[in-house]
Amino acid sequence: MESTRNKLIKLLAENDSNYISGQQLSDDLQISRAAIWKHMKKLEEDGYKIEGKTKKGYRIIEYPAKTSENTLQWGLQTNWLGKKIIHKTSATSTQHLAHKLASENAPHGTVVIADEQTEGKGRMNRSWYSSKNKGIWMSIILRPEILPYLAPQLTLLTATVIADVFDKQLGVTPQIKWPNDLLINQQKAAGILTEMQAEQDQIQYIVIGIGINVNHSIHDIPEELSEKATSLHIASNQERSIKDLIQQILQSIEPAYDHYIMNGFSDAKKKWESYGFKIGQEIKINTMKKSWIARFNGIASDGALLIENDDGQIQKMYSAEIDWFGGEEKNENKN
Ligand code: BTN
């Protein structure tokens, strides 16, 4: 059940910068005015700045900087994305929680966020290191009316949106390594994991998991990842507000998603290719069975990796890892 405190914050937030009278709050929340006053004092202790004026009532003039459902809702300019936000100080994985909520009918646009994950998941069953308050660990539940085979386009779209936020709003230009790794100076700063529940011709829901290393210093990156991973802080020497960045990302995903649903994938494909890492160059393709070198020609209209092999043949790849170093041996078999 939602606490009275949360209901109170919601009422104040809904009123934005307008005052709401003590009487109205007491009627809406069915508690005494003295109890309202006590809650206000508690909110102030939590870092909220509240203005109380006789005859006018109360309004919140400043939210604490920390991430919470209320601080994320405050000032979030979206129509449907993040209207329901679930924030946890700790979770095994926001993906797990999002799947559970989605199977219990959580609406399209529900967002699950954790300050830390104890079992963060990456692609290919890898683990995803998600230390407390250092990054964005977030899963978004979507219910798109598209055919299941098109779902990978949504992950590529999400990568382009995050790339645009880094580039245009934070001034840090990333590259996207197919399919969804965001690199800064050839080191990974963010990754996306998309999981889907679908029947043959219908998606029940998609969970898009977004992991972004934001405020890690070099010492916060585990040694085994130190060559491969970076953070926005390391790359730009600047700490960022996690809360503000989540809001910026949600505000950017919503219009991009709406545009995609209306107009299809072609604009996102162009954008993806503008950030694409190693396009036009040789890359190493790794599949379960073998590794080989090919030229990376960009992505196909369905989002597949397009490569040109030595014999000039163009091949579409749907599942592979690409690499750009240590690729001396051609056609080396893994079996
Ligand atoms: C990858 O690059 O391998 C994908 C990483 C995805 C990590 C995010 S963090 C939020 C969500 N919860 C998880 O457990 N994983 C995704």
Side-chain angles (χ1 to χ4, degrees), residues 72-85:
L72 285 164
Q73 293 284 359
W74 180 258
L76 178 67
Q77 286 162 19
T78 56
N79 296 315
W80 53 265
L81 182 56
K83 286 293 144 198
K84 185 175 168 81
I85 295 181

Side-chain angles (χ1 to χ4, degrees), residues 112-250:
V112 183
I113 293 164
D115 292 342
E116 75 171 345
Q117 301 184 114
T118 53
E119 292 168 34
K121 281 166 54 173
R123 287 178 63 238
M124 313 270 188
N125 273 334
R126 294 191 187 114
S127 57
W128 180 262
Y129 177 72
S130 330
S131 54
K132 196 161 187 110
N133 295 326
K134 292 288 172 192
I136 295 178
W137 326 126
M138 160 165 93
S139 299
I140 298 175
I141 299 171
L142 298 173
R143 299 186 183 276
E145 287 180 10
I146 57 171
L147 289 167
Y149 82 93
L150 294 174
Q153 294 182 342
L154 277 174
T155 57
L156 297 164
L157 175 78
T158 306
T160 65
V161 172
I162 294 171
D164 256 359
V165 170
F166 282 13
D167 186 32
K168 310 225 156 58
Q169 300 187 40
L170 310 182
V172 181
T173 305
Q175 288 188 296
I176 310 175
K177 174 174 164 278
W178 190 86
N180 292 314
D181 291 354
L182 276 100
L183 308 180
I184 306 173
N185 304 326
Q186 306 204 356
Q187 289 176 305
K188 184 158 166 174
I192 297 163
L193 171 69
T194 300
E195 296 172 316
M196 171 168 71
Q197 187 67 35
E199 280 128 37
Q200 206 167 5
D201 56 355
Q202 200 188 351
I203 294 176
Q204 279 172 12
Y205 66 82
I206 292 185
V207 175
I208 300 198
I210 300 171
I212 305 177
N213 297 341
V214 181
N215 286 329
H216 303 65
S217 71
I218 288 182
H219 311 289
D220 297 319
I221 306 262
E223 210 178 309
E224 65 276 17
L225 299 176
S226 63
E227 278 184 17
K228 288 189 170 170
T230 189
S231 73
L232 285 165
H233 181 203
I234 296 169
S236 62
N237 207 16
Q238 210 179 316
E239 289 214 30
R240 321 263 169 182
S241 151
I242 304 256
K243 170 186 77 77
D244 291 354
L245 193 48
I246 291 172
Q247 289 183 328
Q248 281 170 302
I249 288 171
L250 296 179

